[in-house]
Amino acid sequence: MNKIYEDNALGRLPKKRFDSLTQTYGEEQGTLEQEIDEIQSAVEKYEDDNGRAERFIQLVERYTDFEEITPVMIREFIEKIVVHAKENQYVQSSPQRVEIHLNFIGEFELLDAKHEPTPEELAEQERIEKEREYNRRRYQKRKASGYYDKAKKEPQKAKQNIADLPMAANQ
């Protein structure tokens, strides 16, 4: 850059060429500075992740031999638990996603969470689905017949006050 500036000052480099080179080198310098920032950020993240992993390993090593899980252990390992809304709010057995975030390493995911269901689990799922379908059809049939509308329209029977009852025993 200095050489180009000197050549321009001495009149050896035309003004148009100097402007073009200055712009090109300026863009390149901006790109390189941006790359440096990105690389430094990646290195810092790596070092931070490495430090957090080391702290987690130290925590695990502290509890390698234990007989029962204590509340203190749970607080040291678990940062937070996030419970999401049910997939279908109106179905009691609807799946619900739960995230467990461990200290130092973030969200914990089971690797073998997607296992093949056993024949017993398949049979239970099929039974539950049949029961849901039966209840759904029963509800639709009652709704079509106006069953739920009648229940709303029928007035509630008035409760009698005990003081209003005739006192037959005393008379």
Side-chain angles (χ1 to χ4, degrees):
M1 213 45 194
N2 290 339
K3 177 81 170 134
I4 294 171
Y5 182 74
E6 288 173 7
D7 286 347
N8 184 44
L10 294 173
R12 291 187 242 164
L13 192 63
K15 175 81 171 133
K16 190 174 185 180
R17 181 81 171 139
F18 173 76
D19 291 341
S20 173
L21 288 172
T22 304
Q23 181 181 358
T24 303
Y25 289 145
E27 290 172 359
E28 183 178 353
Q29 184 175 3
T31 303
L32 290 174
E33 287 174 355
Q34 184 179 1
E35 285 181 26
I36 288 170
D37 290 342
E38 289 172 1
I39 290 171
Q40 283 179 338
S41 174
V43 167
E44 290 172 3
K45 184 179 181 316
Y46 172 76
E47 289 173 349
D48 184 49
D49 288 347
N50 193 26
R52 290 186 307 144
E54 287 176 11
R55 286 182 282 176
F56 184 76
I57 290 171
Q58 290 172 353
L59 180 63
V60 169
E61 287 173 349
R62 190 173 349 152
Y63 293 110
T64 54
D65 188 29
F66 62 91
E67 306 238 346
E68 66 180 47
I69 296 175
T70 65
V72 173
M73 291 170 64
I74 292 172
R75 281 192 288 279
E76 286 185 2
F77 275 98
I78 297 177
E79 176 184 353
K80 65 181 175 181
I81 298 174
V82 180
V83 180
H84 295 272
K86 290 182 179 182
E87 289 179 15
N88 188 344
Q89 292 181 353
Y90 305 107
V91 178
Q92 185 176 8
S93 60
S94 177
Q96 190 169 5
R97 187 165 165 249
V98 176
E99 296 175 9
I100 300 174
H101 294 262
L102 298 177
N103 283 323
F104 310 118
I105 62 170
E107 184 178 355
F108 175 72
E109 294 182 31
L110 294 173
L111 296 177
D112 62 341
K114 296 182 178 182
H115 72 284
E116 290 293 322
T118 63
E120 292 84 18
E121 291 172 332
L122 289 172
E124 179 66 12
Q125 287 175 355
E126 187 175 328
R127 183 193 68 73
I128 290 171
E129 189 57 38
K130 283 181 182 178
E131 186 176 328
R132 279 189 196 147
E133 185 59 33
Y134 170 76
N135 288 334
R136 218 174 285 130
R137 277 184 277 152
R138 197 166 131 221
Y139 169 77
Q140 292 296 331
K141 200 183 271 186
R142 283 183 170 182
K143 186 177 178 183
S145 71
Y147 175 81
Y148 296 108
D149 296 334
K150 291 178 192 174
K152 289 179 186 176
K153 291 178 184 176
E154 289 180 14
Q156 296 290 327
K157 292 183 180 179
K159 294 182 181 178
Q160 289 185 336
N161 194 348
I162 294 177
D164 296 339
L165 294 175
M167 305 270 296
N170 291 340
Q171 293 177 0

